[in-house]
Amino acid sequence: MSEDKKTILKIEDLHKSFGGNEVLKGVSLSLNKGENKVIIGPSGTGKSTLLNNINRLVPPDEGRIYLDGQEITAGNINKMRQEIGFVFQDFGLFNHLTALGNVRVGLLKVKKMNKKDANELAMKELRRVGLEENADQYPAELSGGQKQRVGIARALAMQPKLILFDEPTSALDPELIGEVLNVMKNLAQEGMTMLVVTHEMGFARTVSDEIIFMEHGHIVEQGPPKQLFNDPEVERTREFLFKLTELYGEGEE
Amino acid sequence: MSSLPNLLEGALVTIRLTFFSLLLGLVLGVPLAFGQTYGPKIIRKIIGVYEKVVRSIPLLVILFLIYYGLPRVGIKFPSFIAAVIGIGIRSSAYQSQIYKGAIQSISGSQMKAALSLGMSKLESFRSVILPQSIRIAIPPIANESAIVLKDTSLAYALGVIELLRQGGYIISTTYRPLPIYLTVAAVYLVMTLTINMTLGRFEKKLKIPGIGIEERVR
Ligand SMILES: Nc1ncnc2c1ncn2[C@@H]1O[C@H](COP(=O)(O)OP(=O)(O)O)[C@@H](O)[C@H]1O
Ligand SMILES: [Mg+2]
């Protein structure tokens, strides 16, 4: 997986304030092609703001972001967004479109693909997340886990260089979390580059290449899961991981 | 019943009044809704005041202001136009509320999702917000249409020869107010039901699970 060490995402010294409230206080990280990094940290720490800064759904104040070597902190915003998938905690599915329609709409409206090609590609991505059978169903007719898998297929269909996940399973009933994590795990194994905010420790432990622990707008510590779980450099990391494991369990696997 | 052709002629004027008033309400109401949703604070305030003022004045007073008041400052309209302007302005205040509600009822995360796919703001609005808001707006617009239809009877006071005034003319020659007014009422009833049925059918045709009334009732 890591024979290709190309850097896909590089973030340098990112700052963001809302009013007087400094939420990101200089965050730097990078992600190689095919890598999977998990961001953990207490609520209100700036994890969502960080992800939203990357594709400028929320514009950063300071710092630089590079995608595949190109600076994206300025420049054509719509073109950059095509190359970065985003999976939302509350799915953000388009309620007036079927599952297929949701996956297809970006191909039609943004990539200007013809209907036949768009259909084919969209069906392929639905198959990839196991929802071929549900192609004609509307979001209101799907379970939470199915909705989120449509959300993932929609991101995949754009053939992004990177997918950002913002707590993709936090809005789900516990029994539906597994199906979404499985899809994400498969993606990771297929070599998709992913940056995932999650509290799912099982996923972080077994799937991620690195865990990034954020608190109060800083990265406290980052490293391979083994190191963070077994031998963290900072005491606070141990405390937080301990608390998470108590709250959410070890996760299966 | 020789009076029926005259009544139908009046009904036609009523329909025309209704149509143009609703159209003016739409043409004014949509930008007002946009201004109130996406505009800067000052614009939102101004529109809010406009709505409150327009909705607080009786329609008859608005009509008199336009038809009898404005000529004093050199602005003069024929009675039909004056009626359409008055009823249309009033409807714009209600329609803008409807559109605003319909736009704002689409969750912000859908807009974010559309943008994250690389859609422009305009494309996101056209492909995601608009198709859903239209569906949500249909029932209240049916309601507003029925209200406007009934309110056009106030154009009577400006001398527009619409349904009610035609009825009045017939009564002045036949001296039979009860059957004539009953007929007038029946014609209004038929027109209102037609509006509701047409828009109801339209709503059904566009129905998508999870969007519209069904969702709001639950
Ligand atoms: N649009 C916004 N306006 C003002 N404050 C915001 C906005 N978005 C986030 N914040 C604040 O920024 C802080 C970090 O939020 P967020 O990035 O959502 O944290 P996390 O995802 O780690 O829970 C919080 O204190 C939140 O209240
Ligand atoms: Mg968050």
Side-chain angles (χ1 to χ4, degrees), chain A residues 48 89 166-167:
Chain A
S48 297
Q89 177 173 349
D166 192 1
E167 303 203 34

Side-chain angles (χ1 to χ4, degrees), chain A residues 81 92-96 158, chain B residues 110 115-117 127 132 208:
Chain A
R81 283 175 178 162
L93 291 191
F94 309 131
N95 288 327
H96 63 304
M158 298 299 284
Chain B
Q110 290 190 56
L115 295 174
S116 80
L117 291 173
S127 298
Q132 296 183 62
I208 286 175

Side-chain angles (χ1 to χ4, degrees), chain A residues 52 55 57 78 81-82 84 86 88 90-96 105-106 109-110 112 138 140-141 154 158, chain B residues 107 109-121 123 127-129 131-132 135 208-211 215:
Chain A
N52 282 302
N55 74 349
L57 284 173
N78 295 330
R81 283 175 178 162
Q82 289 179 45
I84 301 178
F86 206 117
F88 299 87
D90 58 357
F91 324 127
L93 291 191
F94 309 131
N95 288 327
H96 63 304
V105 67
K109 303 288 177 186
V110 179
K112 312 285 181 200
Y138 287 96
E141 302 168 318
R154 178 174 66 184
M158 298 299 284
Chain B
S107 67
S109 71
Q110 290 190 56
M111 190 70 184
K112 276 176 77 176
L115 295 174
S116 80
L117 291 173
M119 286 189 201
S120 65
K121 276 190 185 148
E123 182 63 62
S127 298
V128 174
I129 310 290
Q132 296 183 62
R135 289 175 167 87
I208 286 175
I211 295 182
E215 193 174 47

Side-chain angles (χ1 to χ4, degrees), chain A residues 178-208:
Chain A
E179 62 188 70
V180 172
L181 291 181
N182 265 332
V183 166
M184 291 169 60
K185 189 174 160 189
N186 289 339
L187 287 183
Q189 280 163 358
E190 288 164 25
M192 176 56 72
T193 313
M194 302 157 74
L195 187 57
V196 183
V197 175
T198 185
H199 293 305
E200 292 300 327
M201 285 302 102
F203 182 85
R205 214 190 258 276
T206 59
V207 182
S208 75

